[in-house]
C-alpha cells in the first residue's frame, strides 16, 4: 500500500495546474461550477487537445498516451478544481472514445479517434427517453436495417449539451422481437443529418443544459454501429462504469467550496470573520472531511481501472457518495450565506457570483444523471454484498 | 499510488483473523471482560510468541522491524475480534513513545520486555478534565533531589489495574514532562471504572509518588510535543480498530439479512434493507481508506495532522451510523446480551470518544484550513 503520487504524477499535476492558472490569468475564462458539462469553449478544448490531454488513457497506437487512470484522474481533478470549461470534449474523452477504442472496427478507429483527439467531436449522449429513465432497456427508439443503412426513428430526452453537439452517441432498439436487453445496439454518428432535430429544455436553474432530440427517418450508414448488433446493452453497462467513475461526481461544484471558504474568511459579522464562528467552522471542516473521503473513493476507482477491472460497485459507491457530498456542499453554502444565499447570479449584491444559488439548484440532478443513487445502491447490494434479489 | 495490501500485509491480516477467530470466540471475550484482569495471560503469551508486540519495533529490541502500517492490519483484526486487554496500551500508547524519545538505556531496558510480552505498559494522560489538551493536565511533578514527586489524579487510564509501568504526563516547571513510572510504586492507588466497552479504564491516584530523574522520558518540560504524537498514533490506531469493528458488524448484518426470512422472503431482499447495507458498506470503506492513509503517513514519518484528523473525525461519525443500521436490520435479537452485535456497539461507542471525537478533529481540520 502506498498513498504517494509518483514524482512524475506530481509534476503532471503541477503542469496541468500551471496551464489552467495561466489561462485564468490571461482572462480566457472564469472558474465556474458545472463547467465540465456546461462550459462550451471550443478554443479551450483545442488548447487542451494540443497538450495531448484528450485520450490520455487510450493506447498509443490509437493516438492516445497510454497513461494510467490515476493520471487521468489527476488531470480531471485539476480541471474541476479550476472550474475549467471542458464540456466540448468531456463526454467524448471520458466515455465515447474509450468505447470506440474497445468496440470499434479499425476503420471506425481511423475515422473517429483523430476527430475526438483534436477536440472536434462535441458529443451528446442519447440514452434516456420519456419512458426509459433508470430502466434504460425499455427504450423505444428504433433503428431498422435498410440495405447498407439503419433508419432511426424515435425520441431521446435529457440529452446534455444537445444544443451544442455535432455528434451523438445513441442507443436504439435493433431487434423489437428479442427480450428487451437483447435487442439494443449502439450507434455513433454526426447529427448533421436530415431528420435530426433538437429542442432545448430549460433546467431548474433557468439555463439550457439538456434537450429533447428527435429522430425522424434518419438514415445512418451501418458503419455507425459500434460493437456487436443487439449486444449494445452489455457494452453500455461497461461504459456506464466509466461514466460514473469520474472526479466530476465529487468536484462538479468544487469552485463553490473554495469560494465559500474564502468568503467566510473575508466576511465579518458581529465584529468578527464568519470563519471564526464555531458552527460555521465545524460545517466547513465537515465539508473538507467529506471531500477528502470522497477523493479516496475516487482514487480507489481509478486504481481498480488501472488493474484492468471494471469498477462496477466501486464506481457506484463513489458516485452515490460523491453526488450526495456535492449536494450537501451546495446546501451548506446557502446556509452559511444566510439571506445572501438566495441571490441569483443575475442579482445585484449576489455573493460569489451567485454560485451557491446556481449550485444548489443544479446539484439536484447530480444524484439522477448517470444512474440514480437508488439504482446504484441496488448494484452495490446485489454485486458487492450479494444480497438476494428476492 | 497503490491501495492494495502487500502480500506480506495480506498474510499478516489473514493470519491474525484466523488466529483470533480460533482463540477468541465471544464466550471467551465475555470471560475476559468479566475477569478482574480484563485479559488472558495465556493468550497474551501466545500473541507475544507470534511476534505481535514487537511487530513494528527494531530487531535489536526483539521486534520484527515492520511498520506502523503493518501493525494497522493487526489492529483492524483486533477490532474485528473484539480483543480485550492491554495490547493497545502497551504497544500503541507506550512502546512507540519509548522508541521515539527514550534514551538508549530506556529502550534497552523496556522494549525487549514489551516485545517478549513480559511487560505491560499504559499511558496515564487524561484527568477529571477529560481533555486531550495540554491545559487539561493538573497532575504535578515536583523536583526533589534526584527524584520527582508526582501528585494528582489520572482518569480513564486503560489497563492500569494490570500494568507494570505507566507513562505519566505531569506538569513540571515550564511545561509537561513524561515519566516512566513503576506501577507498583508506593502512593499509587487504582480503581477500575465500569465502562460501556467493559474494558478496564481506571482512576489512578498519585499521592506523592517518587520517581527517579532517570525515568524522565524525553526532554523535561517538552513532553507535550510527544504526547501530541502519541495521541495521533492512538487516534489512527483506534481508526483501524473501528474499521475492523464496523466491517464485522456489516458482515454479520449482511449474513443475517440473507438468512432471516419475514413475509416469506429474506429481509435482505427488501430494497430498504439493501440500501441500508449499501450505506453501511460506503461508510466502512471510507473509514478504512482514511485510516490506512493516516497509518501509511505515520509509517512514512510524514506530517499528517490533517489526515489523522480526517480519519478520526470520519470514523467518529461513520461508526454510529453503521451500528445504528446494523441494529435496525437485526431486529430485536440484536438488542439481546447474548447476541454478538452488542460487543461491537459498545466498543464502537467507546472508540468514538477515545483520543479525540469528531468535533475535536473537525476543529483540527478547521485550523489546517486556515479558518
Ligand atoms: C442534469 C441531468 C443530465 C442528464 N443528462 C443526460 C444525458 O446527457 N443523456 C441521457 O441519456 N440522459 C441524461 N439524463 C437522464 C438520466 O440518465 C435520468 O434522469 C436517469 O436515468 C433517471 O431516469 P428518470 O429521470 O427517468 O427517473 P426514473 O427512472 O423515473 O426514476 C425516478 C425515481 O425512481 C427511482 N427508481 C427508479 N428505478 C428504481 C429501482 N429499480 N429501484 C429503486 N428506485 C428506483 C429513481 O432512483 C428515482 O429516484 C440526465 C439527467 C439529469 C438530471
Ligand atoms: C425492546 C423490545 C421490546 C419488545 N416487546 C415486545 C412485547 O412486549 N411483545 C411482543 O410481542 N413483542 C415485543 N417485541 C418484539 C417486536 O415487536 C419485534 O422486534 C418487531 O416486530 C420486529 O420483529 P423482529 O425483531 O423479529 O425483526 P424482523 O421482523 O426480523 O425485522 C428485521 C429487520 O427487517 C426489516 N423488515 C422486516 N420486514 C420488512 C419489510 N416487509 N420491508 C422492509 N423491511 C422489513 C425490519 O424493519 C427490521 O429492520 C419487543 C422488541 C423489543 C426490541
Amino acid at each position: 500500500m502506498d498513498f504517494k503520487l509518483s514524482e512524475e504524477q506530481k509534476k503532471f499535476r503541477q503542469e496541468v495546474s500551471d496551464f489552467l492558472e495561466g489561462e485564468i490569468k490571461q482572462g480566457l475564462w472564469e472558474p465556474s461550477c458545472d463547467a465540465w458539462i456546461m462550459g462550451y469553449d471550443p478554443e479551450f478544448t483545442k488548447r487542451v487537445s494540443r497538450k495531448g490531454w484528450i485520450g490520455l488513457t487510450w493506447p498509443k497506437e490509437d493516438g492516445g498516451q497510454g497513461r494510467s487512470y490515476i493520471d487521468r484522474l489527476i488531470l480531471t481533478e485539476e480541471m474541476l478544481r479550476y472550474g475549467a470549461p471542458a464540456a466540448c470534449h468531456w463526454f467524448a474523452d471520458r466515455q465515447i472514445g474509450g468505447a470506440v477504442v474497445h468496440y470499434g472496427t479499425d476503420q471506425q478507429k481511423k475515422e473517429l479517434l483523430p476527430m475526438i483527439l483534436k477536440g472536434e467531436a462535441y458529443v451528446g449522449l442519447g440514452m434516456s427517453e420519456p419512458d426509459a429513465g433508470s430502466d434504460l432497456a425499455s427504450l423505444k427508439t428504433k433503428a431498422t436495417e435498410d440495405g447498407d443503412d439503419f433508419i432511426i426513428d424515435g425520441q431521446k430526452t435529457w440529452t446534455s449539451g444537445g444544443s451544442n453537439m455535432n455528434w451523438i452517441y445513441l442507443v436504439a432498439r435493433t431487434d423489437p422481437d428479442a427480450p428487451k436487453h437483447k435487442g439494443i445496439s449502439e450507434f455513433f454518428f454526426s447529427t448533421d443529418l436530415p431528420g435530426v432535430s433538437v429542442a432545448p429544455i430549460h433546467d431548474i436553474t433557468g439555463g439550457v443544459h439538456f434537450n429533447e432530440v428527435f429522430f425522424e427517418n434518419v438514415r445512418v450508414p451501418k458503419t455507425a454501429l459500434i460493437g456487436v448488433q443487439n449486444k449494445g446493452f452489455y457494452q453500455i453497462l461497461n461504459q456506464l462504469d466509466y461514466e460514473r467513475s469520474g472526479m466530476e461526481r465529487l468536484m462538479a461544484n468544487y469552485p463553490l467550496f473554495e469560494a465559500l471558504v474564502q468568503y467566510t474568511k473575508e466576511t465579518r459579522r458581529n465584529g468578527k470573520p464568519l470563519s471564526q464562528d464555531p458552527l460555521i467552522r465545524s460545517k466547513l471542516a465537515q465539508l473538507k472531511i467529506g471531500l477528502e473521503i470522497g477523493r479516496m473513493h475516487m482514487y480507489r476507482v481509478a486504481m481498480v481501472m488501472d488493474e484492468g477491472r471494471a469498477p462496477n460497485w466501486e464506481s457506484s459507491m463513489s458516485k452515490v457518495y460523491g453526488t450526495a457530498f456535492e449536494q450537501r456542499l451546495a446546501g451548506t453554502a446557502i446556509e452559511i450565506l444566510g439571506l445572501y444565499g438566495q441571490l441569483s447570479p443575475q442579482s445585484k449584491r449576489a455573493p460569489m457570483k451567485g454560485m451557491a444559488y446556481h449550485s444548489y439548484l443544479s446539484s439536484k440532478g447530480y444524484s439522477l444523471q448517470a444512474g440514480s443513487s437508488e439504482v446504484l445502491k441496488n448494484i452495490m447490494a446485489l454485486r458487492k454484498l450479494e444480497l438476494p434479489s428476492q | 499510488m497503490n491501495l492494495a495490501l502487500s502480500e506480506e500485509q495480506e498474510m499478516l491480516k489473514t493470519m491474525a483473523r484466523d488466529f483470533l477467530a480460533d482463540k477468541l470466540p465471544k464466550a471467551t471475550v465475555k470471560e475476559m471482560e468479566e475477569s478482574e484482569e480484563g485479559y488472558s495471560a495465556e493468550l497474551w503469551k501466545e500473541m507475544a510468541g507470534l511476534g505481535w508486540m514487537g511487530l513494528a519495533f527494531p530487531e535489536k529490541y526483539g521486534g520484527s522491524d515492520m511498520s506502523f502500517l503493518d501493525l494497522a492490519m493487526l489492529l483492524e483484526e483486533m477490532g474485528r475480534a473484539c480483543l480485550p486487554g492491554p495490547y493497545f496500551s502497551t504497544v500503541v500508547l507506550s512502546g512507540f513513545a519509548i522508541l521515539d524519545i527514550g534514551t538508549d538505556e530506556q529502550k534497552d531496558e523496556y522494549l525487549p520486555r514489551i516485545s517478549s510480552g513480559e511487560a505491560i505498559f499504559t499511558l496515564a494522560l487524561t484527568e477529571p478534565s477529560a481533555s486531550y489538551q495540554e491545559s487539561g493536565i493538573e497532575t504535578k511533578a515536583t523536583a526533589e533531589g534526584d527524584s520527582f514527586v508526582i501528585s494528582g489524579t489520572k482518569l480513564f487510564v486503560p489497563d492500569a489495574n494490570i500494568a507494570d509501568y505507566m507513562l505519566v504526563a505531569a506538569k513540571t516547571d515550564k511545561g509537561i514532562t513524561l515519566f516512566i513510572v513503576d506501577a507498583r510504586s508506593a502512593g499509587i492507588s487504582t480503581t477500575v471504572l465500569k465502562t460501556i466497552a467493559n474494558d478496564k479504564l481506571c482512576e489512578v491516584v498519585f499521592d506523592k509518588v517518587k520517581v527517579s530523574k532517570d525515568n524522565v522520558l524525553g526532554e523535561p518540560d517538552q513532553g507535550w510535543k510527544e504526547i501530541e504524537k502519541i495521541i495521533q498514533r492512538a487516534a489512527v490506531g483506534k481508526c483501524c480498530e473501528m474499521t475492523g469493528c464496523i466491517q464485522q458488524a456489516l458482515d454479520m448484518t449482511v449474513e443475517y439479512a440473507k438468512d432471516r426470512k419475514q413475509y416469506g422472503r429474506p429481509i435482505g431482499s427488501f430494497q430498504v434493507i439493501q440500501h441500508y447495507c449499501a450505506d453501511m458498506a460506503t461508510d466502512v470503506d471510507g473509514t478504512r481508506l482514511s485510516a490506512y492513509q493516516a497509518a501509511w503517513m505515520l509509517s512514512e514519518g510524514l506530517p499528517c495532522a490533517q489526515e489523522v484528523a480526517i480519519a478520526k473525525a470520519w470514523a467518529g461519525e461513520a461508526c454510529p451510523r453503521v451500528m445504528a443500521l446494523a441494529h435496525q436490520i437485526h431486529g430485536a435479537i440484536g438488542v439481546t446480551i447474548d447476541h454478538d452485535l452488542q460487543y461491537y456497539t459498545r466498543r464502537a461507542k467507546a472508540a468514538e470518544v477515545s483520543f479525540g471525537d469528531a468535533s475535536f478533529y473537525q476543529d483540527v481540520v478547521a485550523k489546517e484550513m486556515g479558518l
Side-chain angles (χ1 to χ4, degrees):
Chain A
M1 203 176 339
D2 176 359
F3 285 79
K4 193 167 53 243
L5 294 180
S6 68
E7 283 312 309
E8 238 176 43
Q9 287 168 331
K10 282 189 208 153
K11 253 197 249 147
F12 181 50
R13 187 190 289 285
Q14 192 60 48
E15 186 190 347
V16 178
S17 124
D18 287 347
F19 167 77
L20 296 172
E21 268 185 31
E23 295 245 316
I24 296 171
K25 274 207 195 98
Q26 292 171 57
L28 296 171
W29 42 269
E30 281 188 8
S32 67
C33 294
D34 299 321
W36 68 276
I37 200 173
M38 293 187 183
Y40 278 85
D41 182 340
E43 294 307 314
F44 174 74
T45 282
K46 275 199 198 119
R47 293 191 293 273
V48 172
S49 154
R50 281 198 292 272
K51 281 279 186 187
W53 292 344
I54 298 178
L56 206 66
T57 57
W58 309 352
K60 287 206 165 123
E61 57 270 28
D62 294 321
Q65 312 278 333
R67 294 175 69 160
S68 70
Y69 282 97
I70 296 272
D71 288 353
R72 182 166 187 279
L73 196 62
I74 291 170
L75 171 67
T76 52
E77 191 173 8
E78 293 308 307
M79 291 275 181
L80 291 153
R81 189 188 302 284
Y82 288 99
C88 283
H89 65 275
W90 199 274
F91 290 153
D93 176 47
R94 176 182 70 193
Q95 183 171 2
I96 303 312
V100 173
V101 166
H102 205 90
Y103 298 107
T105 60
D106 286 344
Q107 189 56 30
Q108 285 172 325
K109 288 188 196 177
K110 233 193 279 160
E111 280 174 16
L112 303 175
L113 295 180
M115 167 181 78
I116 295 178
L117 287 166
K118 278 189 259 164
E120 291 167 358
Y122 313 157
V123 176
L125 305 177
M127 295 188 277
S128 305
E129 298 180 3
D131 292 324
S134 298
D135 183 13
L136 179 61
S138 64
L139 61 89
K140 296 199 188 99
T141 297
K142 280 188 308 196
T144 316
E145 281 186 84
D146 183 40
D148 286 341
D149 300 325
F150 282 97
I151 313 279
I152 299 187
D153 273 294
Q155 184 202 335
K156 293 292 167 182
T157 191
W158 316 127
T159 312
S160 297
S163 352
N164 293 294
M165 71 185 170
N166 54 14
W167 279 68
I168 191 163
Y169 157 85
L170 181 89
V171 281
R173 189 160 301 284
T174 35
D175 183 352
D177 302 322
K180 66 178 186 176
H181 295 89
K182 295 190 172 155
I184 291 174
S185 304
E186 295 186 286
F187 298 90
F188 187 49
F189 55 87
S190 164
T191 49
D192 192 16
L193 287 176
V196 179
S197 59
V198 177
I201 305 170
H202 289 266
D203 72 16
I204 188 171
T205 68
V208 171
H209 156 65
F210 44 31
N211 303 264
E212 290 179 292
V213 185
F214 300 92
F215 301 87
E216 214 175 320
N217 262 321
V218 179
R219 185 171 282 276
V220 301
K222 281 199 167 158
T223 51
L225 176 81
I226 303 286
V228 181
Q229 191 167 337
N230 295 327
K231 289 267 170 26
F233 193 75
Y234 303 95
Q235 297 171 195
I236 297 165
L237 289 183
N238 180 274
Q239 287 147 34
L240 283 175
D241 289 338
Y242 291 85
E243 180 176 2
R244 285 167 192 154
S245 65
M247 209 33 133
E248 61 272 29
R249 308 305 176 189
L250 179 73
M251 292 176 64
N253 54 0
Y254 182 82
L256 170 62
F257 179 65
E258 287 220 329
L260 182 64
V261 171
Q262 200 51 35
Y263 178 87
T264 64
K265 290 179 183 173
E266 288 165 359
T267 307
R268 298 176 76 85
R269 294 265 164 84
N270 306 320
K272 60 177 188 191
L274 280 176
S275 62
Q276 286 173 21
D277 178 302
L279 260 175
I280 288 176
R281 283 166 66 85
S282 157
K283 282 181 180 179
L284 292 174
Q286 278 173 294
L287 287 177
K288 171 75 177 167
I289 292 163
L291 175 71
E292 293 300 328
I293 296 289
R295 288 184 66 222
M296 279 182 257
H297 278 292
M298 296 297 166
Y299 275 91
R300 172 173 62 185
V301 171
M303 216 136 7
V304 168
M305 295 199 279
D306 279 335
E307 285 169 17
R309 288 190 286 133
N312 64 58
W313 67 260
E314 291 94 342
S315 64
S316 297
M317 186 181 275
S318 64
K319 186 190 177 261
V320 172
Y321 177 93
T323 51
F325 167 79
E326 292 168 330
Q327 290 171 340
R328 190 151 48 88
L329 164 57
T332 306
I334 296 213
E335 283 162 37
I336 289 177
L337 296 178
L339 290 174
Y340 282 97
Q342 51 190 328
L343 298 180
S344 98
Q346 286 82 35
S347 170
K348 185 178 175 185
R349 287 180 178 272
M352 308 186 306
K353 303 190 209 101
M355 255 195 271
Y357 170 108
H358 165 88
S359 179
Y360 181 74
L361 295 176
S362 73
S363 66
K364 296 296 177 225
Y366 295 173
S367 49
L368 293 166
Q369 62 197 49
S372 76
S373 294
E374 291 71 28
V375 168
L376 298 179
K377 286 184 191 184
N378 293 347
I379 292 177
M380 280 191 264
L382 300 180
R383 299 201 204 151
K384 174 181 165 62
L385 302 172
E386 299 176 341
L387 285 162
S389 55
Q390 47 192 309
Chain B
M1 195 182 233
N2 171 14
L3 298 190
L5 300 185
S6 70
E7 228 171 277
E8 228 178 16
Q9 286 161 345
E10 220 38 281
M11 263 169 53
L12 180 65
K13 209 170 161 188
T14 312
M15 193 216 31
R17 184 183 310 179
D18 293 347
F19 174 81
L20 291 170
D22 178 40
K23 298 284 171 182
L24 209 59
K26 290 296 178 293
T28 311
V29 174
K30 185 168 188 246
E31 261 172 49
M32 287 162 75
E33 280 185 358
E34 285 171 0
S35 71
E36 206 174 302
E37 297 78 22
Y39 84 120
S40 142
E42 199 182 318
L43 184 62
W44 185 253
K45 263 191 220 125
E46 284 186 70
M47 284 162 48
L50 291 173
W52 286 7
M53 280 49 156
L55 193 87
F57 300 145
E59 273 174 39
K60 64 175 168 180
Y61 302 124
S64 309
D65 245 340
M66 290 169 84
S67 68
F68 188 82
L69 183 62
D70 298 323
L71 189 87
M73 305 297 124
L74 279 189
L75 293 171
E76 183 178 339
E77 291 309 321
M78 289 173 179
R80 183 195 276 277
C82 299
L83 171 73
Y87 184 87
F88 199 88
S89 309
T90 303
V91 175
V92 180
L93 297 180
S94 309
F96 278 101
I98 295 172
L99 181 66
D100 212 16
I101 53 165
T103 61
D104 286 342
E105 290 74 22
Q106 287 169 337
K107 289 192 240 187
D108 285 338
E109 182 173 355
Y110 299 114
L111 290 177
R113 290 165 64 201
I114 290 181
S115 299
S116 69
E118 236 174 285
I120 292 174
F121 271 73
T122 191
L123 172 72
L125 169 64
T126 43
E127 304 200 355
S129 64
S131 151
Y132 288 107
Q133 312 279 4
E134 186 172 0
S135 59
I137 297 185
E138 304 270 341
T139 296
K140 275 205 174 65
T142 320
E144 272 182 25
D146 283 345
S147 302
F148 278 90
V149 175
I150 302 179
S151 286
T153 299
K154 292 289 177 182
L155 207 54
F156 312 111
V157 182
D159 310 304
N161 58 320
I162 49 166
D164 300 299
Y165 298 94
M166 299 189 216
L167 307 188
V168 181
K171 253 166 126 169
T172 41
D173 276 352
K174 296 189 199 74
I176 302 289
T177 304
L178 271 169
F179 299 90
I180 305 176
V181 179
D182 184 329
R184 292 173 190 85
S185 309
I188 296 183
S189 50
T190 299
T191 315
V192 177
L193 310 166
K194 298 282 289 173
T195 63
I196 192 166
N198 250 344
D199 53 357
K200 306 295 175 189
L201 292 187
C202 303
E203 178 200 69
V204 184
V205 178
F206 293 80
D207 181 17
K208 301 195 201 80
V209 176
K210 210 167 160 185
V211 183
S212 154
K213 281 194 170 158
D214 295 341
N215 285 15
V216 168
L217 178 63
E219 292 291 309
D221 296 323
Q222 305 294 316
W224 191 253
K225 268 198 304 239
E226 178 61 18
I227 292 171
E228 281 183 331
K229 274 203 226 165
I230 296 177
I231 294 174
Q232 264 193 1
R233 219 180 274 124
V236 177
K238 279 291 154 196
C239 289
C240 297
E241 286 187 358
M242 290 158 102
T243 301
C245 173
I246 54 178
Q247 177 71 60
Q248 180 64 16
L250 168 64
D251 293 351
M252 284 164 57
T253 303
V254 168
E255 280 318 300
Y256 186 76
K258 287 178 188 170
D259 282 351
R260 171 72 171 169
K261 286 204 171 89
Q262 286 290 279
Y263 303 96
R265 49 194 273 202
I267 56 168
S269 69
F270 294 123
Q271 195 172 53
V272 64
I273 301 289
Q274 296 184 342
H275 287 191
Y276 283 166
C277 289
D279 291 344
M280 291 168 75
T282 307
D283 268 338
V284 171
D285 282 9
T287 304
R288 175 178 290 106
L289 286 166
S290 57
Y292 282 3
Q293 169 170 271
W296 174 79
M297 292 189 84
L298 279 179
S299 275
E300 299 287 303
L302 300 167
C304 53
Q306 175 164 308
E307 286 76 6
V308 171
I310 285 171
K312 188 65 169 54
W314 180 258
E317 295 197 330
C319 280
R321 283 196 295 261
V322 171
M323 294 315 303
L325 291 174
H327 271 289
Q328 191 59 24
I329 296 169
H330 271 86
I333 194 75
V335 294
T336 58
I337 199 83
D338 289 328
H339 195 280
D340 288 356
L341 192 60
Q342 53 98 4
Y343 290 96
Y344 296 89
T345 319
R346 294 188 288 104
R347 274 150 207 270
K349 205 63 194 167
E352 190 188 316
V353 298
S354 300
F355 302 101
D357 61 9
S359 48
F360 178 89
Y361 285 110
Q362 281 160 15
D363 196 53
V364 174
V365 172
K367 281 196 193 103
E368 295 281 319
M369 292 167 77
L371 298 175

